[in-house]
Amino acid sequence: MTKSNGNASDLRRKLAAAMPPDEPVAGSDGQPESIPPRALLAQVLDRANLQRALKQVRRNQGTPGIDGMTVDELPEYLKYHWLEIRAQLETGHYRPQPVKRVEIPKGDGKTRPLGIPTVLDRFIQQAIAQVLFAQWDPHFHPHSYGFRPNRSAHQAIRHVQATIRQGYGWVVDMDLQSFFDRVNHDRLMARLKSRCPDTGLLRLVNRFLKAGVSVGGHIEPTTMGVPQGGPLSPVLANVVLDELDWELDRRGHRFARYADDANILVKSKRAGERVMGSVTRYVSDTLRLTVNPLKSAVDRPWKRKFLGFTVSRNDKKLKVADKALDKLKDRVRELTRRTRGNRIEVIAAELRESLLGWKAYFGITEVLSPLRDIDKWVRRKLRCYVWKQWGPAGYRELRKRGVTVREAWNTSKSAHGPWRLSKTPALALALPLRYFETLGVPSLAAR
């Protein structure tokens, strides 16, 4: 079903009739007064909040959940069913559907489980997340950077770099093992209650946590964890780990956290080992989570990575981590494999999109030599691709592009493979830098 302005207008009229228009009364300091029972659930069901949630869900798109409903079908469904759904939410009878489990490949060859809620549940989760976020975000620690407005991974990386340059030359790199799968529901709900004392809203959040997961058509219960993939997951993750943030602050540690990725900076290896031991115990005993000993370490910052970056050893400049470069090269290999059979213009356009997206994130790097090497390697991959496409016409194509008879003959009759030939002077002359610039292939190192 396609989107239409008429459907959106109908939905707005339905919501306008069903939603209470009043906002919470503000005190003299501009902050809401004490929260009366069920006030937060009323905020979730407020017309403006719901319209913002619907807009966000439609912007995010995503695949259908277990019921098969698409994002584009949601407005029409709400047009006819919203009043009934709203009544169920108000009376506490709404039951979320189980999430659909899919496995997302990771860089190490393993997979990460992703839970896809139905689009209706995504809509309701988004509306809840907006209200919970408004309650909690002002109280989150300033060095928590993930899933928050006006905060970013780049800020977390810059904060870590600045701390290192202040003489904190050792990092306690902590990895929480399967964090999203192991969140303790009882502790999470107790912590939520401290700032959201609305039993109706808390019951609804708890039902989303325990909605179950569909694996191969079989429904499995969820007794712990916050399934990644729903709009609620980021804010709930921050609620859980905010407790860790303030504990680190109380102990006087320098740190940065982005979701479940945390770096604590110290001045000596001995201090780092002491911090690793004490924080590991706190995570286990208090948060009921587990620090992964295989992925966590006390080490020099230039030997570890944080959010895809590391720092250079001598001048502590930002540097793209080797693993991030390897993942980029894997993507380029995928786009330029011979069996795709597309014209070079198509390959270049796809490559441009990937490289510009990569550069938008990693472009803050200050060590450019690895990017220059990647630029050269990308051009060589493209020369290899073009040479393969030329096939028996290689000699003629080289001559058309100004290569001498001798060089064109030696190259086209060579026993070497395409990858070896892609580095020859003949291919460099026939397919120079300006050729790839004309195709729109961006340079990662260019500033």
Side-chain angles (χ1 to χ4, degrees):
M1 187 175 297
T2 57
K3 295 181 284 187
S4 70
N5 293 331
N7 287 345
S9 299
D10 289 341
L11 176 59
R12 283 194 291 270
R13 286 194 292 271
K14 288 284 186 181
L15 293 178
M19 300 304 123
D22 298 328
E23 297 291 335
V25 178
S28 59
D29 61 352
Q31 298 298 318
E33 297 284 7
S34 58
I35 303 169
R38 304 189 68 78
L40 292 178
L41 183 57
Q43 289 182 36
V44 171
L45 299 176
D46 176 75
R47 178 179 70 255
N49 186 60
L50 290 169
Q51 289 175 342
R52 187 157 62 98
L54 180 61
K55 184 177 180 180
Q56 186 63 45
V57 168
R58 297 181 75 175
R59 182 186 299 120
N60 292 343
Q61 286 297 308
T63 59
I66 63 172
D67 63 354
M69 185 189 300
T70 67
V71 172
D72 291 338
E73 291 171 332
L74 178 60
E76 185 74 9
Y77 181 84
L78 290 174
K79 177 180 174 182
Y80 294 102
H81 299 280
W82 172 246
L83 293 178
E84 176 188 353
I85 295 167
R86 182 181 186 276
Q88 291 175 358
L89 291 166
E90 288 184 317
T91 58
H93 290 97
Y94 184 80
R95 296 282 179 179
Q97 296 191 62
V99 301
K100 182 170 67 174
R101 169 72 57 81
V102 295
E103 299 291 337
I104 304 298
K106 294 170 61 176
D108 56 6
K110 298 180 181 179
T111 59
R112 172 172 58 90
L114 192 69
I116 303 177
T118 65
V119 292
L120 174 60
D121 284 339
R122 291 212 290 273
F123 166 59
I124 297 171
Q125 279 194 36
Q126 181 65 38
I128 296 171
Q130 290 166 182
V131 171
L132 290 183
F133 183 82
Q135 291 296 122
W136 277 91
D137 188 68
H139 307 282
F140 284 150
H141 196 280
H143 293 151
S144 165
Y145 295 93
F147 312 123
R148 301 179 64 187
N150 304 316
R151 291 178 182 270
S152 66
H154 287 174
Q155 291 175 329
I157 294 159
R158 292 290 194 191
H159 176 67
V160 168
Q161 181 192 29
T163 306
I164 293 168
R165 285 179 165 174
Q166 291 169 9
Y168 292 79
W170 290 83
V171 60
V172 181
D173 187 358
M174 303 196 73
D175 179 86
L176 298 180
Q177 187 168 346
S178 303
F179 165 72
F180 284 91
D181 296 330
R182 299 190 177 190
V183 169
N184 182 280
H185 287 177
D186 292 338
R187 291 205 83 260
L188 170 56
M189 295 307 301
R191 186 142 178 87
L192 275 178
K193 188 176 181 180
S194 67
R195 295 198 185 279
C196 302
D198 185 322
T199 55
L201 179 58
L202 292 174
R203 179 171 56 242
L204 182 57
V205 171
N206 194 46
R207 284 182 177 170
F208 273 110
L209 291 174
K210 299 185 182 302
V213 57
S214 175
V215 183
H218 175 68
I219 306 299
E220 298 180 358
T222 46
T223 57
M224 64 172 63
V226 178
Q228 290 177 270
L232 260 178
S233 300
V235 66
L236 294 182
N238 273 337
V239 168
V240 171
L241 293 178
D242 183 62
E243 196 169 356
L244 172 62
D245 296 340
W246 287 108
E247 178 63 20
L248 295 177
D249 182 271
R250 187 184 68 79
R251 298 183 185 189
H253 293 317
R254 305 290 188 95
F255 73 96
R257 181 180 66 80
Y258 191 96
D260 57 337
D261 216 344
N263 270 193
I264 306 170
L265 288 308
V266 295
K267 290 188 174 182
S268 69
K269 183 178 181 180
R270 184 175 179 181
E273 290 172 344
R274 185 172 64 250
V275 170
M276 176 67 84
S278 64
V279 174
T280 297
R281 288 190 295 272
Y282 176 82
V283 168
S284 176
D285 298 344
T286 303
L287 301 184
R288 302 185 194 176
L289 296 167
T290 304
V291 173
N292 188 339
L294 299 179
K295 294 185 178 181
S296 303
V298 177
D299 210 338
R300 292 293 196 177
W302 50 87
K303 294 182 179 180
R304 305 296 295 180
K305 64 180 179 67
F306 180 55
L307 303 177
F309 287 87
T310 185
V311 294
S312 57
R313 179 169 184 168
N314 294 326
D315 47 14
K316 314 302 184 292
K317 289 185 176 181
L318 290 183
K319 181 181 178 182
V320 180
D322 290 342
K323 189 173 182 180
L325 293 173
D326 291 340
K327 289 179 67 175
L328 174 64
K329 292 176 80 170
D330 287 341
R331 176 59 177 159
V332 174
R333 289 189 186 98
E334 179 184 347
L335 290 175
T336 58
R337 67 180 187 272
R338 181 179 183 178
T339 55
R340 299 194 70 208
N342 290 328
R343 294 183 300 110
I344 187 61
E345 291 80 7
V346 175
I347 299 298
E350 294 176 346
L351 196 56
R352 174 182 172 81
E353 182 178 356
S354 290
L355 292 179
L356 288 179
W358 191 92
K359 188 175 181 178
Y361 180 75
F362 288 102
I364 65 169
T365 184
E366 297 163 333
V367 179
L368 299 181
S369 53
L371 302 193
R372 296 189 188 101
D373 292 339
I374 290 289
D375 283 340
K376 294 176 184 176
W377 181 83
V378 168
R379 291 194 292 270
R380 186 178 175 188
K381 288 293 293 182
L382 291 174
R383 288 185 182 112
C384 182
Y385 187 88
V386 172
W387 180 251
K388 290 174 184 176
Q389 285 205 322
W390 283 347
Y395 173 81
R396 185 170 62 253
E397 294 292 342
L398 289 175
R399 289 289 294 132
K400 280 168 53 178
R401 288 162 174 79
V403 178
T404 65
V405 172
R406 181 188 179 95
E407 284 290 337
W409 179 262
N410 289 340
T411 303
S412 61
K413 298 304 178 182
S414 173
H416 295 305
W419 180 243
R420 176 82 172 268
L421 293 176
S422 64
K423 203 176 181 180
T424 59
L427 267 294
L429 177 62
L431 304 171
L433 173 60
R434 63 177 178 275
Y435 169 75
F436 300 109
E437 291 175 343
T438 302
L439 287 176
V441 178
S443 166
L444 298 178
R447 291 294 180 270

